[in-house]
Amino acid sequence: LIMNFSTTLFFAILLFIGGVEALIPARLQPTGAFLQKQHTVQTPQYAAQSDDGDDNDSGSWQSLGVAVSEPNQKAGTDGYSVIRQPLSKSNWDPNAEPENDVPLLLKEENRFGSGISWQDEDWLSTRSSKSKDPLFEVVKKPRPAKQIKEEEEAELDLFKRTFDTLDYPRVLRSLSDEHTATMPARNIIAGRQPTNRNKDAFEKRAYQPFLSESVEGSRERYRAVQEMDWILQGRDAQSGTVIMEQDYSYRNRKGYKESLIGRGPPLGGNSFGLEPILQAASTGGIVLESPELVEITRVLGQMQDVQSWGKALTKVTELEFVELPKLVDCINFNETLFDLLYNALDDKGRLSGSTFPTVGRLRARVKALRGSILQTLESLVQMPSVQSKLALESGGALFSEIEGGRLVIPLQSDSKASAVGIVHDTSRSGKTVYVEPTEVVGPTNELRQAEGELRSEESRIWRYLTQNVLANQRGLETSVYAVGQLDLVRARLQLGQSWKGLVPSVEEEGVICLRNARHPVLLLRQLDNVVGSDIDLGANGNQGLVLTGPNSGGKTVILKLLGLVALLSRGGVPVPAAPGDYQPRVDFFDPILADIGDIQSTTSDLSTFSGHMLVCKQVLENAGENALVLMDELGSGTDPNQGVAIAQALLEAIVERNSRVAITTHYGPLKNLAAADERFAVGGMQFVKGRPTYKLLPGTVGESFALAVAERLQLPQSVLSRANELLDCDTQQMGELIRELEDQKVLIDEQVLEMEEKKREMARMEFELKERQMKLEKKQLNVRREEARKFAKKLEEKEQLLEGVLEKLKSDPSRKLVAKSWDDIKLVKRDALNEAENVPSVLKRKRAAADAIEQASAEMVPISELNDGAKSELKEGDELVICKKGPLFGRDGTIIKVSGNRVEVRVNNMNVAFKLSEVAYPPKNGIRLSQQQQHTTTNKGRSRQKAAQRALAQENNKARTNEWEAARVSQAAGSGDSGKVSMRTNSNTVDVLGCNFFEAQEKIKDKFSMTLMKGRGNPVVYILHGHGTGGILKSKIRQWLRQEEKRLIKKWAPADSTDGGDALTRVELK
């Protein structure tokens, strides 16, 4: 009895001391979070480094006797009890900012939580449901077959089956994963955008589904794709209109200038995934923390940049942007909310003390109280009266922290510790007590109160910020989905560009017209040499297309291609087809229904044929106007005759509903349907040399080529031979005829391709020839420019020499010097003329003029060589041509007087006498020298010697020997031939570019004075003023010249085009 009693007592003690938890199943214990909340004090982890990046001064803590708590350190170990723990740096570092946890819920929580939360409240029910006890098992009764059929028919989702059989999810997955950058765009593709709202116009556009619901929707999506392409390319490739990049830009929220051209909407790499954050706050009542608020702020800032980008689009004048600005208008940028969130947090993600002064003041107070308490404790432990009572034998920390954040020091239990302060804890040995000194009790109470006020104020601000976000939730969600729509436009364009797609026209007439259309999924798989086909459905009045051809020949690929391009058109994605001299077109189809593949069910006795019939039933229920129906092997899986009859009846019923339909078949009667019913067209898959080419041939009937396919798949030859024997003669002859026709068509196609290749080669050669000609002309132009530049440089040198001569004449106008100067002038002019005549372009013109003169001379016969009758016919008023070599050669003249062998002719408004050997009758074939050739001939010798002759004539005037005479001769010599021709040079040009009118006026007056002081005859000055903004400077200068004309100016006019044109004004001074 004693033994049993002792054993029972022992287990009872274990039960009450702490073994209760060991005896309770773990799944029925309260959660650790609740126990920790009730019995422990959390110790936040202290940062390993200070703000400036250096390690914290742990020596200062060690000097205070502080034991630093580590994360997840358990209470009751290393000499600490449950209520007493090491001093936490996060709570007591006087240099650290006070940190508090963000409140969990928007509503105020109960101080002790909502109660105990069991880890597995349905443990018993879970265990019962998994029990093998027959009492818990549910006996399932078999369902009738009729019930199963009805359930499967109800579960058949024809639209989902259509998407799956067309491989449309593969296209959407590529669009979402490879081309979108934002979460809203991916949600729109997946159909996860909000739909249960009373949407206004902006929300309808922002939340519009990926597939359009009307033809207008498809056009708007394609228009947006084209506008995005304009921006990225900087031009409209179709019309050739170019957007000038330098003319259009915008400034982002940071003030930086961003180019509009070549870039899409500025998403900044942001996912715009605000929906989960907003849903957590609105439905779960969660308070948003710093990372969530920072993310919302970043998204708002990015929205502002997108708005600026959209506004810049409206300023483009070369092209009209419509759809993209509409999407940007759906963005609601709340500047007040942005400023609130932007200023609410500091660089470290904490509430800003400057934005919220109360928080900053409370933080400063908490820091000051912490430092004061630590200094007080340090001073106390240095006092001899306290040092003698310290319990330092164990070598533990000098300061420790108890629950409630109060600091205690270790004192000897026999040292009247209660006189020092409040005893909070005792060591296990009882030799040490932990006392909170009286000097820090009051400051600690103030610290706890300040911390409570700070925690309460921060919680209020966190909730206030969250409530402001929730107040703008609807606008935020609408805005991020509008950005998602912009991202989706760019994704559509990029996907279309990846397969070189084009934007078709979209109508409501049920037409598909594409050339070299390729299967999108095959292109996404990056297969080589994807074969394209020409597709025509709904054109020329046909409503149905019957696809024929061999097995594995590509009929199903064409069928899926029709469905995919129709879906791409509704989604606004460019379709993979080739442009050309036709109008690409994919009309709006709704619904799009496809029956491709088998539907079988052994449980409901559902065969292949009955499965197809089940689909056909739903097709007839849903097909209507603008529907597109695609059926593979219609009527198969049963008796051929009955299957053909049902198939034809279904086709006729579908087209009677004004739907469009395409089927594949091997049945002869269905192949011949196009010949009997004009509502249907036929197309065959090409089969060349025993192998399919996977190309559709519109208007042809494709043979099934079952034997050829079997032979290609290496069926035994004996079986193939027997199959050929079993075929009837008509079938064999038909097959041979079809093969011959297809071989002939292949030959014709090869010849057409060869001719097209030759045409392209000829076009390429013609282009290269034009390009070479342009290069040659450009090279010739550069050569002429170089010649002109060299000639102008030499003229500058000659001009400098002339100026030197004039300077000598001005300084010493003696007769001897004048004569010597004229010799120098003649040499300079002779050199200049020789240089001008040696310019290649001048030589070329001279040779052309000489050839023309030679040709004209051959045609003109002097009158002296004619018979006497011709001579005697001369009378006054007759027209003659001068054939004497010289300046008048080739000129027309009128006879004034005839006297023997001489005639007086009026030429160039003057009377000149010529011998009959020097004149001729005008040529009968009308050959004349051109005006330019006549001018060249007339001035041939005149311009060479004019200056020298005038200078020598004045030099030989010996009667004028005084200074006035010498000066006048000098003036004439200086003018040379400038009385008739003046060339603009640097020395006679005044540059007033960049000057205002008054500055320009002073510079022009100075130039006039300097030019007049040189004493040249007919002095000319060129004023370089440019065109300027609005031509203001030019107009003011010319207005001023009109006023000065009577006093200084002889005349003025815009400079000749060879001298710079209207950007200069040529002024002749008196």
Side-chain angles (χ1 to χ4, degrees), residues 664-768:
T664 64
T665 187
H666 291 281
Y667 292 148
L670 294 180
K671 294 180 182 180
N672 299 328
L673 184 62
D677 193 337
E678 62 180 7
R679 295 176 298 177
F680 294 92
V682 67
M685 304 307 298
Q686 192 178 50
F687 198 82
V688 179
K689 298 179 182 179
R691 302 187 69 86
T693 63
Y694 309 105
K695 188 175 185 65
L696 176 65
L697 302 177
T700 63
V701 178
E703 176 66 23
S704 294
F705 295 106
L707 294 177
V709 173
E711 184 178 2
R712 183 167 58 88
L713 297 177
Q714 299 180 354
L715 205 67
Q717 187 62 39
S718 59
V719 175
L720 296 175
S721 300
R722 178 57 180 162
N724 277 312
E725 294 174 359
L726 294 174
L727 285 176
D728 58 85
C729 295
D730 293 340
T731 304
Q732 290 181 357
Q733 291 177 0
M734 181 64 68
E736 291 176 358
L737 287 175
I738 292 177
R739 281 193 291 271
E740 289 179 3
L741 288 174
E742 290 194 349
D743 291 341
Q744 292 177 4
K745 188 177 186 308
V746 170
L747 181 60
I748 293 174
D749 290 343
E750 290 177 353
Q751 293 176 352
V752 170
L753 290 175
E754 185 177 354
M755 292 180 63
E756 290 179 352
E757 181 64 27
K758 289 182 178 180
K759 288 181 180 179
R760 286 193 292 267
E761 181 67 20
M762 292 178 63
R764 185 184 61 80
M765 294 175 64
E766 183 179 359
F767 175 77
E768 290 180 353

Side-chain angles (χ1 to χ4, degrees), residues 921-942:
Y921 286 112
K924 293 182 180 180
N925 56 6
I927 294 178
R928 290 283 198 279
L929 290 179
S930 65
Q931 293 294 329
Q932 181 179 0
Q933 292 167 346
Q934 293 179 3
H935 177 73
T936 302
T937 306
T938 303
N939 295 332
K940 185 175 180 180
R942 183 187 304 171

Side-chain angles (χ1 to χ4, degrees), residues 139-151:
V139 179
K140 296 183 179 180
K141 296 180 180 181
R143 294 176 297 165
K146 181 179 180 181
Q147 179 183 356
I148 295 175
K149 279 189 177 182
E150 292 176 352
E151 292 177 357

Side-chain angles (χ1 to χ4, degrees), residues 572-584:
V573 179
V575 296
D581 54 351
Y582 76 106
Q583 177 58 56

